[in-house]
Amino acid sequence: MQPNPWLVLAAVIAAFVPVVVDMTILHIAIPSLTVALGASGNQVLWIIDIYPLVMAGLLVPMGTLADRIGYRRMLLLGLGIFNLASIAAAFSPTAPALIAARAALGIGSSMIMPCVLALVRQVFEDDAERATALGIWSVVGTAGAAIGPLIGGLLLERFWWGSVFLVNVPVMAIVIPMVWVLVPSLPGDRQTAWNPWQALVLVSGLILTVFGIKSGVKDGLHASSAAALLGGIAILAWFGRMQVSSKNPILDLSLLKKPAIAVGLLMAFIASGSLAGFELVLAQELQFVLGKTPLEAGIFMLPLVAAAAVGGPLGGQLATRFGLRAVASLSMAAAAASLFAISFTDFGKHDYLVAFLLAVLGFALGVGLLASSIAIMGNAPKESAGAAGALESTGYELGGGLGVTMFGVLVNSIYRSSFSGPAGTPDSATYSIGEAMAAARDRGGDMGGAIAGAAKTAFLQAHGSVLILVAAMIAILALVVFIALRGVPAASQH
């Protein structure tokens, strides 16, 4: 019996939603769990970015494994791992335990994500229906990411920080039976080549590099951090060489020889990184500095994430009408201008102006992400469409993970140099605003108030400086995009 494609779509969309929401829901919970677990600034960054880093490295090989064993089986296995990891994350007693649980969530997500699109392509034989289904998938993805902070805020109004993970359990109790009943069980192709070794090389290189950067910034460049950084860079270089020389690379880096694809990947990397990193720092400022509740912070962030969700679908129409070069470069320029304006705006005094600037930033980055996809997929040869899609997906996830690292490391570094607390302030308070707030709570009284005040002042200085730096970087990217897309034929710009 032929399965109903729309029922299959409902099942895979239901499986897709928790993965997308999980990418943004945690940002709101970071201040709460920082204090509850006594997490250091570096541990907070690992809690956030271990998820996209692991997912980025495993997306392609997990997709290939799904081709071998069948999409339904792989999807159910991924959902089971995601469910167990959510429980482990919710009840993590320490920051390292939460980091490990988040890594397991990344593994589960990397098994779910490739199956969703593969099943949509498999069950919809009519091109028009498939296009409609993919449009629904895109809207649900952007909407899920947009409502993540709001859902997190609502949960944290009544429950503890672990609720942002535990909410996945009742969802999975519905989703797993849906997938079991509605998704067809089709055999995989056992002849499909599978090379997980390359993925492990990529993930280990990324984690070592990120560890070296974070530990070097926090404690100064010493032997262990330098060794980790150099080792990570060497492993990533080895991975790149492996992709060029291998007969079955997991990422086809030869596509980067085309300037439009290279600049499209750069846009995807920077736009997704800027959005993820800014959301994390914004959530900390709203709760630690302005004293907003998680729900108030989630509502405050809505213009950013909602505009990003709207910008994605509209970006295609804008590129069709005005051309990819104009839309891509102007979206990056608008993002740079809004970040620069935000860096000089007092969040506590100009709510409506901040909301407008956040909406401009979100819309510009949403358009930029779509423009990057057009640049990559529109300039890839037809026979390399799958490889280009894998490269694009990996760029998005890596951008999100490394964007959190970049924002977090820069903010914590400038915060540390700007912090000037009263005599007797514990050393931990100088590392990050989360640790300072934990110290202020422990000391209490006038001493606690003085530590908290010094931390807020230092964080505002750090936040403003980092936004200016990132705005300058994105402005340069806008110029690079404008130049790089100059020779792109008009046909591939529309």
Side-chain angles (χ1 to χ4, degrees):
M1 180 178 175
Q2 191 72 15
N4 185 318
W6 297 106
L7 291 178
V8 175
L9 177 66
V12 297
I13 288 294
F16 174 59
V17 168
V19 175
V20 179
V21 171
D22 211 63
M23 294 178 183
T24 57
I25 193 174
L26 186 58
H27 293 167
I28 286 294
I30 282 297
S32 300
L33 69 85
T34 298
V35 175
L37 297 180
S40 69
N42 276 358
Q43 287 173 331
V44 166
L45 297 183
W46 278 117
I47 289 167
I48 291 286
D49 59 19
I50 193 67
Y51 178 77
L53 289 178
V54 169
M55 190 175 4
L58 297 181
L59 271 175
V60 178
M62 287 301 184
T64 307
L65 181 60
D67 292 338
R68 283 174 59 91
I69 70 173
Y71 301 121
R72 178 176 177 268
R73 181 183 299 177
M74 188 69 164
L75 184 55
L76 287 169
L77 185 58
L79 290 169
I81 292 174
F82 191 88
N83 194 33
L84 292 175
S86 296
I87 296 171
F91 296 104
S92 296
T94 64
L98 181 54
I99 293 169
R102 286 278 289 171
L105 278 168
I107 294 172
S109 297
S110 71
M111 301 169 79
I112 296 168
M113 293 285 276
C115 296
V116 172
L117 284 177
L119 282 164
V120 170
R121 292 191 179 105
Q122 192 176 62
V123 300
F124 285 92
E125 297 179 0
D126 181 79
D127 289 343
E129 288 187 347
R130 186 187 300 120
T132 301
L134 289 173
I136 293 171
W137 166 81
S138 176
V139 170
V140 169
T142 51
I147 64 173
L150 186 59
I151 293 174
L154 287 168
L155 288 170
L156 291 172
E157 283 291 297
R158 290 180 171 268
F159 308 107
W160 93 116
W161 62 265
S163 62
V164 301
F165 298 109
L166 204 59
V167 70
N168 291 327
V169 176
V171 174
M172 288 297 160
I174 298 171
V175 171
I176 292 176
M178 281 183 67
V179 172
W180 182 273
V181 172
L182 298 176
V183 174
S185 180
L186 300 175
D189 181 5
R190 293 285 179 180
Q191 303 303 313
T192 302
W194 187 52
N195 191 349
W197 168 246
Q198 295 182 21
L200 294 176
V201 172
L202 174 59
V203 172
S204 61
L206 287 170
I207 290 176
L208 271 177
T209 302
V210 170
F211 174 80
I213 293 171
K214 290 177 180 176
S215 61
V217 169
K218 180 176 181 180
D219 304 321
L221 195 62
H222 47 76
S224 60
S225 61
L229 180 59
L230 292 175
I233 292 172
I235 292 174
L236 290 177
W238 179 33
F239 173 79
R241 182 179 178 84
M242 195 185 299
Q243 300 314 290
V244 173
S245 59
S246 174
K247 291 182 180 179
N248 296 301
I250 64 172
L251 294 177
D252 187 359
L253 299 184
S254 66
L255 290 170
L256 297 180
K257 293 178 181 178
K258 291 195 171 187
I261 295 179
V263 79
L265 186 63
L266 185 62
M267 282 181 63
F269 189 84
I270 291 180
S272 60
S274 299
L275 191 58
F278 180 68
E279 281 182 7
L280 171 63
V281 177
L282 178 60
Q284 290 179 305
E285 178 166 343
L286 293 175
Q287 294 178 70
F288 281 142
V289 178
L290 297 183
K292 292 185 180 293
T293 67
L295 178 58
E296 289 170 341
I299 294 172
F300 194 97
M301 293 171 67
L302 270 182
L304 173 71
V305 288
V310 171
L314 287 182
Q317 299 177 30
L318 293 173
T320 299
R321 182 169 182 179
F322 300 107
L324 176 62
R325 184 189 185 199
V327 170
S329 54
L330 284 175
S331 67
M332 292 295 97
S338 56
L339 276 174
F340 188 77
I342 289 171
S343 71
F344 290 101
T345 305
D346 188 333
F347 284 18
K349 296 180 180 178
H350 305 288
D351 284 1
Y352 293 108
L353 175 60
V354 173
F356 171 75
L357 292 173
L358 289 178
V360 172
L361 175 62
F363 184 81
L365 291 177
V367 171
L369 285 170
L370 193 283
S372 72
S373 181
I374 296 173
I376 295 169
M377 301 307 295
N379 289 278
K382 288 184 178 180
E383 64 274 13
S384 299
L391 195 66
E392 179 185 350
S393 299
T394 303
Y396 285 152
E397 299 303 332
L398 281 182
L402 296 179
V404 167
T405 295
M406 182 186 72
F407 265 82
V409 163
L410 286 174
V411 166
N412 288 344
S413 178
I414 299 173
Y415 166 89
R416 187 174 184 180
S417 63
S418 304
F419 184 85
S420 180
T425 298
D427 289 341
S428 62
T430 65
Y431 292 128
S432 70
I433 189 170
E435 290 165 282
M437 290 305 181
R441 183 194 62 180
D442 292 340
R443 294 298 173 94
D446 293 340
M447 181 68 171
I451 293 173
K456 292 177 182 180
T457 300
F459 187 86
L460 287 174
Q461 292 178 358
H463 190 190
S465 299
V466 169
L467 291 187
I468 292 173
L469 288 172
V470 175
M473 178 185 69
I474 296 178
I476 294 171
L477 174 64
L479 182 60
V480 170
V481 169
F482 186 77
I483 295 171
L485 295 181
R486 181 173 51 188
V488 176
S492 47
Q493 292 195 30
H494 289 74

